[in-house]
């Protein structure tokens, strides 16, 4: 099957495994080799083989991953970066200029907020935080003609609020802005924002796409070729590209994304049932719960509801900290989306940088990244830690 056919006709898992790479014509290697080279021999000045001249501009290992990323997000072009934040920085500087304005989620990932507030704002980019699950509030935050990007995470980190991608895309477009969706939490298996009207998708591939907590990376995918040109220019000009070893790991992870995500979701659903019935647990936050305010939208735009659960400890901050340090199968640590289950306290860990701002998270909040271990073991572990 040709690359084009993989991209547009095949199912998700087939695209994740085959798109972006044909077995090597010389050796038949089924997996893209790790091209550990910074430069390429030219056949006479300007005589490039396959367009490769220098590995910041292009590297065949990276080209394969970028093709696969575009295919799983149903975009035209994918771009790989050294981290999720490098991908975000490249979007900001490709698509805005000093003096412009953007709208960001009022419970954005702390690092995204820090990038926008502490790096982009001094550079001259204004921002307004808005609850992206509330279309009216997003509309109020947009300054028509001045707002260049509406930036959405859905579900958000760590409160799992759900934005209606199609509705926010309409709003952004009517005001002349582009919609950027951080699809890290859902992963391309559960949600494909470009098919719902988004213009740019960004990922921390460190999470579900890589999937094994062994590599840091980021990705941008777009449909529009004009946008692709701008992102591609800045990817090369700013140079925050991943090396071929990291790219190899990320690509290997992407191939199993579908089966991993189904197990993440199965396990998360079992744990949600357990937590909602536990007397020491307050609110359980999971878009799959009918009581979740974003449930209906999530059901419409996501295949399933993901592997992240947040919940509040009835005993307050101290209890939450104790639970986080008592689990044995759940590892206490930042990050998410790997095969192993992680537990963390957002207020003191991932979201410490937003303490004292409007984005501060509740002190009794615990976030779980549910892995793909045996569900009974995960439940027994939480039971011990909560008692
Ligand atoms: N976006 C979200 C939703 C995240 O959770 C993270 C990291 O936790 C990032 C972006 C940043 O990605 P990275 O840590 O790969 O730079």
């Amino acid at each position: 099957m040709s690359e084009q056919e993989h991209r547009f006709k095949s199912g998700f898992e087939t695209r994740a495994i085959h798109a972006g790479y044909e077995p090597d014509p010389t050796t038949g290697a089924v997996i893209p080799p790790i091209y550990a080279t910074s430069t390429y021999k030219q056949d006479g000045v300007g005589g490039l083989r396959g367009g490769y001249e220098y590995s910041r501009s292009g590297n065949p290992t990276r080209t394969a991953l970028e093709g696969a990323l575009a295919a799983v997000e149903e975009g035209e072009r994918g771009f790989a970066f050294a981290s999720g934040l490098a991908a975000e920085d490249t979007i900001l500087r490709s698509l805005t200029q000093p003096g412009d304005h953007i709208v960001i989620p009022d419970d954005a990932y702390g690092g995204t907020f820090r990038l926008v507030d502490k790096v982009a704002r001094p550079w001259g980019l204004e921002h307004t935080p808005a609850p992206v699950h509330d279309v009216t509030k997003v509309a109020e935050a947009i300054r028509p003609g001045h707002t260049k990007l509406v930036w959405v995470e859905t579900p958000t980190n760590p409160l799992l609020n759900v934005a209606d991608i199609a509705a926010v895309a309409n709003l952004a477009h009517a005001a002349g802005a582009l919609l950027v969706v951080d699809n890290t939490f859902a992963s391309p298996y559960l949600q494909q924002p470009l098919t719902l009207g988004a213009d740019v998708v960004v990922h921390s591939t460190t999470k579900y796409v890589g999937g094994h907590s062994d590599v840091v990376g980021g990705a941008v995918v777009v449909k529009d070729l004009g946008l692709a040109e701008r992102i591609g220019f800045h990817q090369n000009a700013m140079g925050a590209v991943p090396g071929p070893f990291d790219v190899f790991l990320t690509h290997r992870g992407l191939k199993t994304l579908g089966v991993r995500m189904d197990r993440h979701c199965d396990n998360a659903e079992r744990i949600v049932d357990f937590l909602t019935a536990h007397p020491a647990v307050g609110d359980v936050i999971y878009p799959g719960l009918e009581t979740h305010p974003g449930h209906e939208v999530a059901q419409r735009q996501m295949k399933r509801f993901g592997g992240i659960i947040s919940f509040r400890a009835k005993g307050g901050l101290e209890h939450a900290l104790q639970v986080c340090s008592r689990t044995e199968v759940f590892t206490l640590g930042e990050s998410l989306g790997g095969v192993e289950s992680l537990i963390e306290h957002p207020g003191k860990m991932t979201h410490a940088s937003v303490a004292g701002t409007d984005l501060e998270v509740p002190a009794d909040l615990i976030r779980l990244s549910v892995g793909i271990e045996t569900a009974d073991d995960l439940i027994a572990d939480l039971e011990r830690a909560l008692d």
Side-chain angles (χ1 to χ4, degrees):
M1 216 186 254
S2 73
E3 172 63 34
Q4 285 292 85
E5 282 168 332
H6 277 315
R7 188 168 290 189
F8 297 112
K9 293 200 186 138
S10 318
F12 180 89
E13 291 84 350
T14 312
R15 274 180 279 145
I17 292 168
H18 293 289
Y21 180 73
E22 293 292 336
D24 186 90
T26 323
T27 63
V30 169
I31 297 300
I34 299 173
Y35 282 89
T37 186
S38 58
T39 191
Y40 304 83
K41 177 180 162 59
Q42 303 194 6
D43 299 318
V45 176
L48 306 182
R49 300 185 191 177
Y52 295 103
E53 65 177 335
Y54 184 62
S55 276
R56 171 165 35 72
S57 317
N59 173 291
T61 318
R62 196 172 93 216
T63 305
L65 171 65
E66 293 182 331
L69 287 166
V72 293
E73 281 289 1
E74 302 201 20
E76 276 300 324
R77 291 285 310 278
F79 300 92
F81 290 90
S83 69
L85 282 175
E88 294 187 11
D89 184 29
T90 306
I91 293 172
L92 290 175
R93 287 199 265 169
S94 306
L95 305 182
T96 69
Q97 290 185 337
D100 287 343
H101 172 258
I102 66 171
V103 177
I104 59 166
D106 70 355
D107 60 348
Y109 163 61
T112 300
F113 177 70
R114 187 177 52 202
L115 173 69
V116 169
D117 192 53
K118 301 281 188 295
V119 180
R121 191 162 58 87
W123 174 68
L125 184 67
E126 292 180 59
H127 68 267
T128 305
V132 294
H133 52 281
D134 183 337
V135 182
T136 315
K137 293 262 167 52
V138 176
E140 283 166 13
I142 292 177
R143 303 180 194 163
H146 192 42
T147 303
K148 292 295 181 313
L149 302 179
V150 176
W151 192 290
V152 158
E153 273 177 40
T154 182
T156 58
N157 177 10
L159 295 175
L160 305 178
N161 284 313
V162 174
D164 183 333
I165 296 174
V168 179
N170 285 337
L171 212 63
H173 295 159
L178 298 171
L179 175 63
V180 178
V181 175
D182 183 332
N183 203 24
T184 300
F185 265 47
S187 89
Y189 179 65
L190 299 182
Q191 174 174 280
Q192 289 151 343
L194 297 176
T195 66
L196 299 165
D199 303 285
V200 181
V201 168
V202 62
H203 279 280
S204 168
T205 55
T206 316
K207 312 297 173 348
Y208 286 110
V209 171
H212 295 75
S213 306
D214 53 8
V215 60
V216 170
V220 175
V221 182
V222 295
K223 233 177 188 161
D224 179 83
L225 293 180
L227 288 180
E229 176 115 23
R230 286 156 78 183
I231 300 282
F233 172 81
H234 283 80
Q235 181 195 40
N236 182 43
M238 291 166 61
V241 293
F245 295 90
D246 285 359
V247 159
F248 171 83
L249 284 174
T250 304
H251 199 168
R252 184 163 74 162
L254 178 62
K255 288 167 195 274
T256 56
L257 180 67
V259 285
R260 283 188 285 107
M261 284 316 294
D262 272 329
R263 177 61 83 85
H264 284 296
C265 294
D266 290 345
N267 283 357
E269 286 165 14
R270 292 264 326 264
I271 289 172
V272 164
D273 287 346
F274 162 77
L275 289 174
T276 45
H278 197 286
V281 172
D283 286 348
V284 178
I285 306 169
Y286 186 66
L289 285 170
E290 277 173 23
T291 49
H292 186 286
H295 177 68
E296 198 201 309
V297 176
Q299 204 161 30
R300 219 184 311 132
Q301 69 189 19
M302 295 176 76
K303 187 171 174 165
R304 296 182 69 182
F305 302 103
I308 309 295
I309 304 166
S310 293
F311 68 95
R312 301 181 71 165
K314 272 198 182 148
L317 171 66
E318 279 314 311
H319 188 217
L321 295 177
Q322 277 167 10
V323 173
C324 288
S325 51
R326 273 193 207 145
T327 55
E328 287 168 6
V329 184
F330 279 86
T331 303
L332 176 61
E334 302 202 356
S335 200
L336 57 107
V339 290
E340 61 291 302
S341 293
L342 297 175
I343 188 166
E344 72 123 356
H345 184 269
K348 297 255 181 236
M349 295 170 64
T350 47
H351 289 64
S353 61
V354 295
T357 72
D358 292 347
L359 282 73
E360 186 166 323
V361 295
D364 55 6
L365 193 74
I366 295 173
R367 187 187 78 185
L368 303 177
S369 171
V370 178
I372 63 172
E373 301 97 330
T374 311
D376 288 342
D377 294 336
L378 296 176
I379 290 169
D381 193 36
L382 289 172
E383 194 156 29
R384 261 194 317 269
L386 280 161
D387 285 345

